Amino acid sequence: MKAARLAAALAVALPAAAASDPLSLFGISAGKSGSGLSVPMQIVILLTLMTVLPAAVMTVTPFLRIAVVLHFLRQALGTQTTPSNQVLLGLTLFLTTVIMQPVVAEMYRQGWEPMESGHLTAQQAADAAARPLRQFLARYAREKDVRLFVEIARAPAPRSPADLELRILIPAYILSELKTGFQIGAVLFLPFLVIDLVVASVTLSVGMVQLPPVMISAPFKILLFVLVDGWNLVIGSLMKSFYT
C-alpha cells in the first residue's frame, strides 16, 4: 500500500504531467467526468513509473547523501566489501523511507486523492503534488547551485523559493547533496587516516616493510569504530541533518 502511494504521488509530481493535455500523448481519454483518469491511463502511469522510480528515489530523496556517506565510511574502515552493497543500499532505502514518508504522504493527499475523487484535473494534481516536493528540495538545495541552473536554463530570477521550477531544483539539489555527502565523508576519513599514518610510521621504523600497514591498522580502526558506537553516531548524525 505504501509503495502504491509513493508511486502515485511521484507520478503526478513529474514535470511531464504538467503538459496541457497529457492524456493525448498516450491516445487515452479521461474518465467519463472529464476530470479524473481512466483505468487504462492509471495503469500506463504506474507502468511507466516503474522505470522512472529508481532514478527518482536515488536523486530527489536523501538516498543520495546517505549512500555517499556510507560508501565513504566503508572505504575509511578498509573493510572492502563488508558491509556488502546490498546491506548498505537496504539500510539507505529504509532510512530514506523514514525521512520521506511525511513528504510523500502530503504529496498523495494534495495531488492524487483530489484527482481520484474528480476535484482536480491531471495538470492541477501535478502542480498540487509538486508543492511538498518543491519545498523539500528547496530546503536543502544551496543558493549557489540554484543560481547556476537558473543561469543555465536562462530562466527568470525567482522572487521566492516557491517560484523555482523542478527542472532547476532537482539538479541543484543533487549537486548540493553530493557536496554535503563528500564533506561528511572527508570528516569520517580523518580519524582513520591518523591511525593509518601512525601504523605506517611504526612499521617503517621497526623495518616491517614486507607487511602491509593496512593489515595491521584494520583491526585498530574497527575496534575504534565499535568502541565509540560508530554506527549509532553516523546514522544518528545523518538522520538529524535532515531535521535541522
Side-chain angles (χ1 to χ4, degrees):
M1 182 59 183
K2 289 184 178 179
R5 290 178 62 183
L6 175 62
L10 288 178
V12 296
L14 291 176
S20 58
D21 189 9
L23 300 180
S24 62
L25 296 177
F26 300 97
I28 300 174
S29 61
K32 294 182 179 180
S33 63
S35 59
L37 291 178
S38 61
V39 174
M41 184 58 191
Q42 295 182 29
I43 295 175
V44 169
I45 290 177
L46 292 176
L47 290 179
T48 304
L49 188 63
M50 294 301 294
T51 60
V52 179
L53 188 59
V57 169
M58 288 187 293
T59 54
V60 299
T61 67
F63 188 99
L64 179 60
R65 182 192 302 187
I66 298 172
V68 169
V69 171
L70 292 182
H71 174 76
F72 272 111
L73 176 61
R74 187 175 64 179
Q75 293 296 317
L77 285 172
T79 54
Q80 303 300 325
T81 58
T82 304
S84 63
N85 289 332
Q86 290 83 353
V87 173
L88 292 183
L89 292 178
L91 176 60
T92 303
L93 183 60
F94 281 110
L95 295 177
T96 301
T97 303
V98 172
I99 298 172
M100 290 299 296
Q101 192 276 332
V103 179
V104 173
E106 191 66 17
M107 292 169 62
Y108 185 86
R109 186 185 66 81
Q110 294 186 17
W112 188 264
E113 286 184 348
M115 186 177 64
E116 276 191 323
S117 60
H119 293 90
L120 295 178
T121 63
Q123 181 178 354
Q124 293 171 337
D127 294 337
R131 290 191 201 106
L133 180 62
R134 188 182 294 112
Q135 293 173 357
F136 175 83
L137 297 178
R139 182 178 179 183
Y140 299 104
R142 296 187 307 153
E143 182 180 349
K144 182 178 180 180
D145 295 325
V146 172
R147 190 183 305 113
L148 171 64
F149 286 99
V150 168
E151 295 175 356
I152 292 176
R154 297 182 179 178
R159 290 172 294 182
S160 66
D163 298 330
L164 289 171
E165 302 177 12
L166 287 178
R167 66 190 179 106
I168 294 174
L169 270 178
I170 290 177
Y173 171 82
I174 294 174
L175 284 187
S176 301
E177 289 295 280
L178 284 174
K179 179 178 180 179
T180 303
F182 272 71
Q183 288 175 335
I184 299 174
V187 173
L188 287 175
F189 253 104
L190 292 179
F192 302 110
L193 179 61
V194 171
I195 295 177
D196 284 332
L197 291 175
V198 171
V199 171
S201 300
V202 172
T203 54
L204 183 62
S205 62
V206 298
M208 300 173 60
V209 294
Q210 295 183 347
L211 183 63
V214 177
M215 294 184 62
I216 302 176
S217 63
F220 290 102
K221 290 190 289 186
I222 295 174
L223 181 61
L224 172 65
F225 191 70
V226 172
L227 289 177
V228 300
D229 199 5
W231 286 112
N232 184 281
L233 291 175
V234 172
I235 299 302
S237 300
L238 274 175
M239 297 296 285
K240 291 176 182 177
S241 67
F242 289 99
Y243 293 99
T244 56

